[in-house]
């Protein structure tokens, strides 16, 4: 771009951007925002003046005011982002025990495949004859997902688990409406992930909670009492967010179907059962699969993700368009035929889904094979039970009877009287070099601490983690009325780039846009 003709970017009015108040810690650099770094009177690149003035081509569209972006050189830019990246925890640094999130290693083979030009450099508007391999790969992903779940159809477009829930509930609503039986309510258990009731409400349903028994599983009597002719669907996570398999799932499906409702399964925890259990055999009508959890595609920090939804025979006609099909001319994306389009709910997103995630997930599926995927589930469950066993004598397992699935859940009962809260304990893990576990979720367990190691951790790393947590737990339990000994929990983290943040304010009044300090 010709900087001369649009004027150099001028620095927005800012107060002093003196960041020297904070100092680098060791090799960890402090880093201001890119806008505060400035470089307002320079650009990172030198481009020759165009032969003709830009106005010749742009006419009225020529930019009148400066664009107000800072100009940094390549090394400045690189350092900025590398410094920022070092402020965060990453799965490539250490165990990332966030329960329900399935933070597992992202194999580099997947990355290599996703960068092949035939996958990485294509465009969704390219003629379909030029992307035959990519379409075939999408069909391969669909085939594996259908085979692993025992379901006849899959919608690939959803871009995340929550988006998959939206897809599933829109298909369910379309199916009810096609029968002239619009229903009003969706049931979710108290332990449900927040996205379940949020999705149901977004689609326009009223949400009714169903209770859980003392064993952490759906209370069948409460479910039966709340099912009725106005219930559109039950949304159930299995294994559930307490890390437990819903043993009565067949009965749950039977009761749901008997009431004319659909059984939506939140499949975010598929990692625990992939290759072992086919949700289609359990009576599930729709289930999203988080490729970024079970199938190892990278996530965190809000994306990217992919949440394909497998659908039963009854819901398949209501899937969003397009589908990948093959005929004598090769692979292509098919849209609903006219007339048929009125049955489904149309498109869920502009194109066909997250191609980069499909390639990574497919590489993961093919490199593991079905035996390998079964072992993924077995090792994920084994690792979680190892943690439950190693920490269970000090901390309070929320459901001590029997093994857990892929995550170990503790309540804060063991901290009672110590003055240390779940939040204090989780924050103090940062000072030990570990990302905290999921805390205060699921809501049904008081002061919950939910630990999911995933199958990609070795015994040595699990031990390193358990030793650190045990050390902290012993310190919390042994502090007694020793105020100084409690202090480390109250002020933690002290070794992180930022100390304790006001999480309520961050959630209620997020500042998502930089503006010049006034
Ligand atoms: C992660 C998760 C979701 C939401 O998935 P996103 O991909 O983050 O939108 C829904 N339910 C459960 C149980 C989850 O763990």
């Amino acid at each position: 771009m010709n900087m001369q003709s649009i004027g150099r970017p001028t620095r927005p009015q800012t107060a002093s951007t003196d960041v020297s108040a904070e100092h680098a810690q060791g090799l960890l650099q402090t880093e201001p925002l890119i806008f505060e770094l400035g470089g307002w009177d320079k650009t990172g690149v030198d481009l020759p003046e165009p032969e003709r003035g830009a106005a010749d081509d742009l006419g009225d569209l020529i930019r009148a005011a400066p664009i107000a972006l800072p100009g940094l050189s390549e090394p400045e830019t690189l350092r900025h982002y590398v410094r920022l990246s070092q402020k965060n925890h990453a799965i490539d640094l250490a165990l990332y025990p966030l329960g329900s999130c399935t933070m597992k290693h992202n194999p580099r083979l997947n990355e290599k495949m996703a960068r092949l030009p035939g996958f990485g450099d294509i465009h969704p508007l390219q003629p379909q004859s030029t992307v035959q391999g990519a379409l075939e790969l999408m069909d391969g992903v669909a085939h594996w997902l259908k085979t692993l779940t025992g379901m006849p159809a899959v919608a690939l477009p959803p871009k995340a688990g929550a988006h998959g829930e939206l897809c599933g509930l829109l298909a369910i609503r379309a199916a009810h409406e096609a029968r002239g039986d619009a229903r009003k309510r969706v049931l979710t258990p108290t332990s449900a992930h927040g996205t379940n009731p949020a999705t149901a409400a977004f689609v326009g349903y009223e949400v009714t909670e169903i209770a859980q028994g003392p064993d952490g599983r759906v209370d069948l009597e409460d479910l039966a009492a709340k099912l009725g002719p106005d219930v559109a669907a039950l949304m159930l996570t299995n294994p559930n967010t307490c890390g437990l398999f819903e043993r009565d799932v067949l009965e749950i499906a039977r009761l749901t179907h008997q009431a004319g409702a659909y059984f939506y399964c939140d499949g975010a925890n598929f990692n625990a059962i992939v290759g072992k259990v086919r949700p289609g055999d359990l009576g599930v009508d729709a289930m999203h699969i988080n490729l970024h959890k079970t199938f190892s595609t990278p996530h965190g920090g809000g994306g990217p993700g992919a949440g394909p939804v497998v659908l039963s025979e009854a819901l398949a006609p209501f899937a969003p368009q397009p589908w990948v099909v093959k005929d004598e001319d090769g692979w292509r994306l098919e849209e609903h035929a006219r007339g048929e389009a009125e049955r489904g709910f149309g498109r869920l997103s502009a194109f066909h889904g997250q191609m980069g995630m499909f390639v990574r997930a497919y590489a993961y599926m093919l490199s593991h094979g079905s035996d390998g995927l079964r072992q993924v589930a077995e090792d994920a469950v084994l690792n979680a039970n190892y943690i439950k066993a190693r920490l269970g004598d000090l901390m309070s397992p929320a459901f001590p009877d029997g093994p857990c699935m892929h995550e170990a859940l503790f309540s804060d009962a063991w901290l009672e009287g110590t003055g240390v809260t779940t939040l204090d304990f989780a924050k103090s893990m940062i000072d030990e070099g570990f990302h905290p576990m999921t805390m205060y979720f699921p809501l049904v367990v008081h002061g919950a601490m939910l630990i999911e190691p995933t199958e990609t951790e070795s015994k040595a790393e699990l031990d390193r983690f358990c030793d650190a947590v045990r050390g902290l737990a012993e310190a919390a339990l042994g502090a007694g009325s020793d105020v100084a000994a409690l202090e480390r929990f109250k002020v933690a983290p002290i070794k992180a780039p930022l100390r304790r943040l006001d999480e309520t304010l961050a959630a209620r009044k997020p500042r998502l846009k930089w503006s010049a300090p006034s």
Side-chain angles (χ1 to χ4, degrees):
M1 186 176 293
N2 176 4
M3 302 306 290
Q4 222 71 52
S5 58
I6 63 164
R8 292 215 178 264
T10 53
R11 184 192 182 114
Q13 289 301 305
T14 63
S16 155
T17 52
D18 179 17
V19 289
S20 60
E22 291 174 38
H23 296 287
Q25 286 186 31
L27 294 178
L28 208 54
Q29 309 290 328
T30 54
E31 188 65 7
L33 295 177
I34 200 163
F35 297 97
E36 292 160 353
L37 277 176
W40 299 100
D41 41 16
K42 63 181 189 205
T43 66
V45 286
D46 283 329
L47 294 176
E49 288 294 319
E51 278 165 23
R52 303 183 304 158
D56 297 341
D57 293 328
L58 293 174
D60 287 353
L61 296 175
I62 193 153
R63 186 180 292 282
I67 195 168
L69 288 176
L72 300 178
S73 67
E74 181 171 315
E76 285 172 324
T77 309
L78 203 60
R79 282 184 183 158
H80 175 68
Y81 287 107
V82 170
R83 285 173 185 168
L84 287 184
S85 75
Q86 289 175 338
K87 292 189 185 305
N88 224 330
H89 190 74
I91 189 66
D92 294 338
L93 276 175
L95 191 150
Y96 204 146
L98 271 184
S100 222
C101 293
T102 312
M103 305 300 287
K104 62 163 84 168
H105 171 66
N106 313 128
R108 292 309 185 263
L109 175 67
N110 303 357
E111 298 304 315
K112 197 170 172 186
M113 294 302 108
R115 283 165 179 72
L116 290 175
F119 297 128
D121 296 346
I122 55 177
H123 191 280
L125 292 177
Q126 222 169 296
Q128 294 187 13
S129 63
T130 64
V131 290
Q132 288 292 297
L135 292 172
E136 184 172 353
L137 180 138
M138 287 170 65
D139 186 66
V141 172
H143 172 76
W144 272 78
L145 294 178
K146 288 185 287 188
T147 306
L148 288 169
T149 57
M151 303 280 278
V154 61
L156 293 176
K159 306 279 174 71
H163 205 208
E165 293 172 31
L166 179 63
C167 176
L169 283 202
L170 287 174
I172 286 171
R173 191 178 70 180
H176 281 302
E177 283 173 355
R179 286 208 308 254
D181 181 20
R183 293 178 169 219
K184 278 209 325 262
R185 276 191 308 132
V186 163
L187 307 184
T188 62
T190 14
S191 63
H193 192 267
T195 50
N196 293 186
T199 303
F202 187 73
V203 173
Y205 288 116
E206 283 167 36
V207 180
T208 304
E209 273 198 355
I210 42 176
Q212 272 175 291
D215 65 347
R217 294 162 172 101
V218 165
D219 179 335
L220 281 185
E221 271 178 35
D222 196 50
L223 171 67
K226 287 180 178 155
L227 278 166
D230 63 337
V231 173
L234 163 72
M235 295 181 89
L236 181 73
T237 311
N238 197 19
N240 68 24
T241 59
C242 295
L244 301 169
F245 193 82
E246 293 282 355
R247 286 190 217 106
D248 296 320
V249 63
L250 291 174
E251 181 61 5
I252 291 170
R254 194 188 65 79
L255 289 170
T256 304
H257 290 148
Q258 196 178 44
Y262 290 102
F263 178 6
Y264 185 91
C265 183
D266 179 330
N269 294 337
F270 195 44
N271 201 49
I273 56 171
V274 59
K276 307 284 287 186
V277 178
R278 300 192 316 162
D281 298 336
L282 306 179
V284 167
D285 292 300
M287 179 178 101
H288 73 260
I289 298 158
N290 308 58
L291 297 187
H292 46 290
K293 295 181 180 172
T294 306
F295 296 101
S296 83
T297 68
H299 66 131
V309 178
V310 286
L311 297 164
S312 64
E313 212 69 71
L315 291 180
F318 303 97
Q321 52 199 23
W323 295 285
V324 182
V325 294
K326 189 182 189 189
D327 56 25
E328 61 276 13
D329 297 327
W331 296 96
R332 62 191 169 77
L333 287 168
E334 176 155 283
E335 317 258 322
H336 280 281
R338 216 181 143 71
E340 215 187 326
E342 278 108 62
R343 296 188 70 198
F345 62 85
R347 275 183 181 275
L348 193 71
S349 56
F351 297 112
H352 46 261
Q354 301 275 50
M355 191 65 206
M357 297 294 113
F358 297 156
V359 180
R360 289 171 175 88
Y362 198 50
Y364 186 77
M365 292 163 176
L366 292 185
S367 57
H368 280 73
S370 48
D371 287 0
L373 290 176
R374 189 174 314 127
Q375 196 184 335
V376 160
E378 289 170 356
D379 289 351
V381 172
L382 180 65
N383 279 358
N385 278 285
Y386 184 72
I387 286 185
K388 185 179 178 190
R390 276 218 57 196
L391 303 180
D393 60 325
L394 283 177
M395 298 163 64
S396 325
F399 301 98
D401 297 337
C404 58
M405 295 295 288
H406 60 302
E407 45 198 359
L409 178 58
F410 300 91
S411 77
D412 64 355
W414 65 284
L415 284 172
E416 211 181 308
T418 60
V420 176
T421 64
T422 291
L423 181 74
D424 299 332
F425 191 78
K427 294 295 180 195
S428 66
M429 286 172 66
I430 299 173
D431 288 334
E432 301 299 312
F434 287 99
H435 195 285
M437 67 284 270
T438 289
M439 38 170 185
Y440 301 107
F441 176 81
L443 305 176
V444 285
V445 168
H446 197 270
M449 301 176 211
L450 183 61
I451 304 178
E452 179 179 8
T454 82
E455 73 283 0
T456 56
E457 297 307 329
S458 63
K459 178 168 180 299
E461 183 71 2
L462 291 177
D463 279 331
R464 206 170 75 82
F465 173 77
C466 289
D467 290 346
V469 175
R470 287 188 70 85
L472 281 174
E474 278 160 4
L477 293 169
S481 53
D482 182 348
V483 177
L486 279 178
E487 189 62 8
R488 70 183 281 194
F489 294 99
K490 292 294 161 194
V491 299
I494 54 170
K495 294 181 186 156
L498 290 175
R499 305 289 297 275
R500 244 184 242 202
L501 307 178
D502 186 337
E503 296 183 10
T504 310
L505 197 65
R508 297 281 169 225
K509 292 188 180 166
R511 270 173 50 199
L512 304 175
K513 181 171 155 274
W514 181 79
S515 46
S518 51

